[in-house]
Amino acid sequence: MPETSDRKDDHIRIIEEEDVETSGTGFADVEFVHEALPEIHRDEIDTTTTLFGHELAVPIVIESMTGGHPNTTKINRALAEAAQEVGVAMGVGSQRAGIELDDEDLLESYTVVRDAAPDAFLYGNVGAAQLLEYDVDDVETAVEMIDADAMAIHLNFLQEAVQPEGDVDAQGCLEAIEHIASDLSVPIVVKETGNGISRETARRLADADVDAIDVAGQGGTTWSGIESYRAAAVGADRQEKVGQLFRAWGVPTAVSTIEAANEHDCVIASGGVRSGLDVAKAVALGARAGGLAKPFLRPAGQGTEAVVDFLETLALELRTAMFVTGSASVEDLREAEYVVLGRTQEYLTQRRQ
Amino acid sequence: MPETSDRKDDHIRIIEEEDVETSGTGFADVEFVHEALPEIHRDEIDTTTTLFGHELAVPIVIESMTGGHPNTTKINRALAEAAQEVGVAMGVGSQRAGIELDDEDLLESYTVVRDAAPDAFLYGNVGAAQLLEYDVDDVETAVEMIDADAMAIHLNFLQEAVQPEGDVDAQGCLEAIEHIASDLSVPIVVKETGNGISRETARRLADADVDAIDVAGQGGTTWSGIESYRAAAVGADRQEKVGQLFRAWGVPTAVSTIEAANEHDCVIASGGVRSGLDVAKAVALGARAGGLAKPFLRPAGQGTEAVVDFLETLALELRTAMFVTGSASVEDLREAEYVVLGRTQEYLTQRRQ
Amino acid sequence: MPETSDRKDDHIRIIEEEDVETSGTGFADVEFVHEALPEIHRDEIDTTTTLFGHELAVPIVIESMTGGHPNTTKINRALAEAAQEVGVAMGVGSQRAGIELDDEDLLESYTVVRDAAPDAFLYGNVGAAQLLEYDVDDVETAVEMIDADAMAIHLNFLQEAVQPEGDVDAQGCLEAIEHIASDLSVPIVVKETGNGISRETARRLADADVDAIDVAGQGGTTWSGIESYRAAAVGADRQEKVGQLFRAWGVPTAVSTIEAANEHDCVIASGGVRSGLDVAKAVALGARAGGLAKPFLRPAGQGTEAVVDFLETLALELRTAMFVTGSASVEDLREAEYVVLGRTQEYLTQRRQ
Amino acid sequence: MPETSDRKDDHIRIIEEEDVETSGTGFADVEFVHEALPEIHRDEIDTTTTLFGHELAVPIVIESMTGGHPNTTKINRALAEAAQEVGVAMGVGSQRAGIELDDEDLLESYTVVRDAAPDAFLYGNVGAAQLLEYDVDDVETAVEMIDADAMAIHLNFLQEAVQPEGDVDAQGCLEAIEHIASDLSVPIVVKETGNGISRETARRLADADVDAIDVAGQGGTTWSGIESYRAAAVGADRQEKVGQLFRAWGVPTAVSTIEAANEHDCVIASGGVRSGLDVAKAVALGARAGGLAKPFLRPAGQGTEAVVDFLETLALELRTAMFVTGSASVEDLREAEYVVLGRTQEYLTQRRQ
Ligand SMILES: Cc1cc2nc3c(=O)[nH]c(=O)nc-3n(C[C@H](O)[C@H](O)[C@H](O)COP(=O)(O)O)c2cc1C
Ligand SMILES: Cc1cc2nc3c(=O)[nH]c(=O)nc-3n(C[C@H](O)[C@H](O)[C@H](O)COP(=O)(O)O)c2cc1C
Ligand SMILES: Cc1cc2nc3c(=O)[nH]c(=O)nc-3n(C[C@H](O)[C@H](O)[C@H](O)COP(=O)(O)O)c2cc1C
Ligand SMILES: Cc1cc2nc3c(=O)[nH]c(=O)nc-3n(C[C@H](O)[C@H](O)[C@H](O)COP(=O)(O)O)c2cc1C
């Protein structure tokens, strides 16, 4: 993910101005079977879940996004205050800048989250590629920076491949991940950034003893698309084309959630999750929680209240889905009846062969 | 369903002015196999059926809609006169206002139906949630109000969940339904209001000894959508969004009809039934009759003749379908050849696994 | 089918001016597998076939259309002259007017075909419903009228059902067909008129010893649609609506061809056949020939040359399909490789269960 | 394929000005499964492959296109210089004109390729139909003309069938191919030109001991379409219609690749290949290399640099696909995980029955 201040700025501008979302998560192919007689009181439905022993009021994660530039402090503060208020988990963006540069204002863009959210489940973020350069202590620096409850290690090799200056050496990552998973003081979440985790990759991550997998599948924010716009801006035609070609590359989020959940018991579903109903579907497909990144960007710019309001809407949507599937708890929702239709069903059928 | 006078007014206005219908009943995926040699006389086809021993001239039901406000009397009179003339069944809207308020004019909006239709099969209506507050005598009051041949108990928890003021306590409903089913003087029909009845719910209702199930599945009038417009009108943003999100929630009517008919032998198919051909398909899928609500609203506003005319058109459409499938009777139609294609077939296949 | 002079006029006008064709024959779901190495000379391909012992130069039939009004003489002459020249079969429209009315000019509209086509395979036409009124001698009158090589008995009960004045008594038709099949001096073809013949109907016709079945399936000219326009013109609202509703009713031609060919070894595929490639597909699906009606109407109005030209185009299209599937003869084409995809495949799969 | 100078000119003009591409290769139905942890360095990925013992830097072929007219020399020079620079294979267009006519300038349009690309894998081109007229020595003339590493024998009977003056005698081709395959001094590639090679044809070619099959399937340049435009230009209405009707005829490239690769171990996939991602899919489906024709036309007109640039883009796209499927070599890519969805999957399923 974006790691220097300036690049981060480019990204945010492009995300705000251009079309950087694809479709095709597969959630539209997943339909719950209505329960006309739920036999529960909607307002007594228990939406809490636990993540590494920490309770979340709703199984929602504000995905890793920003930090690393003084003018992202405001965004992270709003997100963190809202996470604290509503009781959801939150990740910060890549901490590379925070680890490598020595700048008070820049650091504050990360540290602000723990100040604003003393009790929330917060997790840090480094790239898998950085793990090759860092030792465990460097990662501990990142943990301490925000007093993190966990660390996310992101995988974003397609994005790197589209960048003219990208880091395209993926060798040794798995071993580095295994190493960190065994030595770090907090649990680790390995996450993609919009292209999904396949069954095979999930199995290797499970074997490496990672504590959770965040699938970040195909269907939401497209980093390939974002880098394509950035390449266009600097006249890098070839990268622009490659970026466009791979715009919608990856395992659709719904498929990725099912595949990863078959290999690991702590899966976060993200990538194109856009409502509490999507979160509910993600849980029914096997996820422990649903994560959203881009949809938080606009409310975060408006302030804490807007983020809280958005989270409350997501929570009500999730609660409503639980109500009309007769699910009194997140545990129940996991057993809710659903069907998988269309192309998503075809994909799954093919993969089973 | 709408229960106070003012709310009823809101609903009718929205239904007349806004887009409150979805698609996706699945009937378009059901195709009859043409019989080129029907070997019957179209005008001798017997379209009669029986509902709890009462004969209907055509297997069509004017679904529960209105009553409870003096200015709905005209609508109910037109519907009832037409039901009497053509020989179809008719339900009134929720009788809560009639049971709870003491107002002559208001009461007349219900009682008018029996005056206008002395011989028609008429059924009353209360919400499942009200059953928790009422004892059997209260429901008998509703029966007597229109000298009802049966009572409908409606399930509308999604609608309630979208209303800011909705009744979202669904606990104990099944037991209350079981209780009423055993103690009431007339048969009961448990009906949804646009989101369908699944196989599992149908089984529980069958076990509770209800006399009939009206599926009111997904694909027609959307109460989630209606409440969303109402929420928008009062600035309740969050409910507006939730209502939109669940606009097309539910078991498609065709699927719901098949699933419920596998569990109960008296099923009424409704929710997006829009022609006599849909009624024919519903019967072939296992329903005893097809029900329509919204399509009757406009003719009812124009008067009895318009309703009769619409019913005659539906009857001719049904008769035509029976003719070209070689079905001399409703019984025969049940055995007519058809195929189920597309997404509806996928849904059924998934559900069978 | 249209039987009186005036009605025939109405029909022709509507067919020329309105949209009276549907889609959905299923031919688009049938794809031949290309043969890159055909090992034949295109111009030596043998496109001949036999129909009741009579050789056709190409397996194409000009379907039953017109006659019965003096101003259809020109059309029938053009069609017949072209049939003679190119060597295809041709049917005339319903001969009811010819049998029942005594009018030289009117009769000429039928008799012209044999004058113009002394050697062509020509067949007459009566409605199945008329068989109930006629004895064998009446039908022999029709045979003699054009010195017919065969008689077509048409089934058009949906059309009749949409007409306000339609003949909707289908009782006894099968017996009457069986009777005629055994007693008439020439072979009989039982044909639909746009709604297809199902496997079950085909079996009954085979058991009744009819000599051929012309499926006239769904996907081409829609008589329900035509009658709907006619009803609209006379303000018969209900019939107009019913006609629209059943516009695309019936067994798709591709499906009907397969089903009928499984039951009878002499099947003509028609209904939406629009090119020589469709004819080729029909043959591969099991038909002995492909028939077209409406596409001949415009060239027939222009004269013999235009019809011949159209027939030559169809013949070249068919020949081209035979060439690139490596089919040296119609017999070979029957064994050509093809796949059936999409909704047509779904329909067939459902029917096999 | 086009063989005289003037015809070649017509073709090029039409290809530049009209819509001569179809869709439907099936590549859009083939989706790779993302590998989030590729464990390789993108820039160390080995994209080389061998074709008849000759190494290609990337598994890409510039398909047979032109030569035979003095003003095509420039195009062939640009293509050849780029092939030499990047290390891909290249074919010339039909050499009929070069073999049959004795014209220095014309000959140069072929010979230029070996001058410009002393080390590239270059292959000649004759039509299968010409083999019947030529003896082995004539074909050796074509080999010598460009010092060819291999000869392509093209099959284009649909195109010929659409041309008013086309050569539609396909008899004896297979035997002639078998003959040449055994006697020629260089390996032969039998190629279609846009309609694909079926499993059955591939088997016959394998039995005839051809050295490679280039499928040139349906979904790219349509010669039927091109000839239709040419027919229109000279007022040949019937050919124009036939050409349009067969515009999208043939085995989709993805299907054809799979089917041919099951029968022969050296398959080139072409026909609608439009990116390095398509090349990657082709390889995963079993091809040894992917070929493109039309997309090279415009850059070739601009000069060598433009062709090199386009090739480099294709190479980067391929490399990116290899990277995010974790394929360190073309051999690995062959084992990459993918799914086949939609109509392409249906086609394959049907063909397996
Ligand atoms: C503005 C923005 C910045 C992001 N930065 C990071 C990052 O620094 N590290 C990371 O692991 N993921 C990053 N992501 C990816 C998200 O965490 C998430 O995996 C992905 O966007 C898919 O979710 P979405 O479709 O809801 O946006 C970022 C996403 C956005 C929109
Ligand atoms: C104007 C209107 C009022 C309704 N009121 C009630 C009601 O009071 N009680 C009830 O059980 N259903 C009520 N319904 C739901 C219908 O009975 C029916 O289940 C549903 O609308 C689906 O049918 P449709 O798509 O044909 O409208 C109402 C529907 C409409 C359109
Ligand atoms: C103008 C016209 C008149 C027709 N008249 C008759 C008729 O008299 N008898 C009959 O059996 N079919 C009649 N048909 C039906 C055709 O024979 C044929 O079955 C049907 O139109 C489907 O073919 P198409 O889609 O190629 O038009 C007529 C069709 C047309 C277009
Ligand atoms: C301008 C042009 C000329 C061609 N000429 C020949 C030819 O002479 N011989 C041949 O075998 N194929 C010829 N082809 C066909 C191509 O080699 C190729 O098989 C086909 O175009 C499909 O690839 P595409 O979709 O990438 O264009 C030609 C194609 C084009 C576009």
Side-chain angles (χ1 to χ4, degrees), chain D residues 212-284:
Chain D
I213 296 174
D214 179 341
V215 304
Q218 197 275 315
T221 304
T222 165
W223 283 96
S224 176
I226 292 167
E227 294 300 341
S228 177
Y229 287 112
R230 207 157 66 88
V234 301
D237 281 15
R238 189 164 301 145
Q239 273 75 22
E240 183 191 353
K241 270 182 210 144
V242 174
Q244 283 305 314
L245 185 66
F246 287 83
R247 223 187 121 83
W249 172 274
V251 187
T253 299
V255 172
S256 190
T257 301
I258 292 172
E259 295 204 349
N262 280 338
E263 305 294 333
H264 199 291
D265 67 0
C266 188
V267 167
I268 296 167
S270 70
V273 171
R274 293 297 174 261
S275 69
L277 179 52
D278 286 346
V279 173
K281 289 176 178 178
V283 169

Side-chain angles (χ1 to χ4, degrees), chain A residues 28-29 31-37 39-42 309 312-313 317 321 323-324 337 339-342 345, chain B residues 157 161 168-174 192 195-196 198 200-201 204 238 242 245-246 249 343 346-347 350-351:
Chain A
D29 281 336
E31 289 193 21
F32 278 116
V33 177
H34 178 61
E35 174 53 86
L37 266 176
E39 291 288 311
I40 47 181
H41 190 302
R42 183 196 59 187
D309 184 69
E312 298 288 10
T313 296
E317 292 169 343
F323 185 44
V324 289
E337 280 290 313
V339 290
V340 183
L341 310 173
Q345 182 55 58
Chain B
F157 289 107
V168 291
D169 187 359
Q171 296 170 100
C173 280
L174 186 60
E192 240 291 335
N195 307 111
S198 69
E200 295 82 358
T201 311
R204 287 154 71 207
R238 187 165 302 144
V242 174
L245 185 66
F246 287 83
W249 172 274
R343 212 162 162 94
E346 288 179 41
Y347 200 120
Q350 279 276 305
R351 288 282 283 167

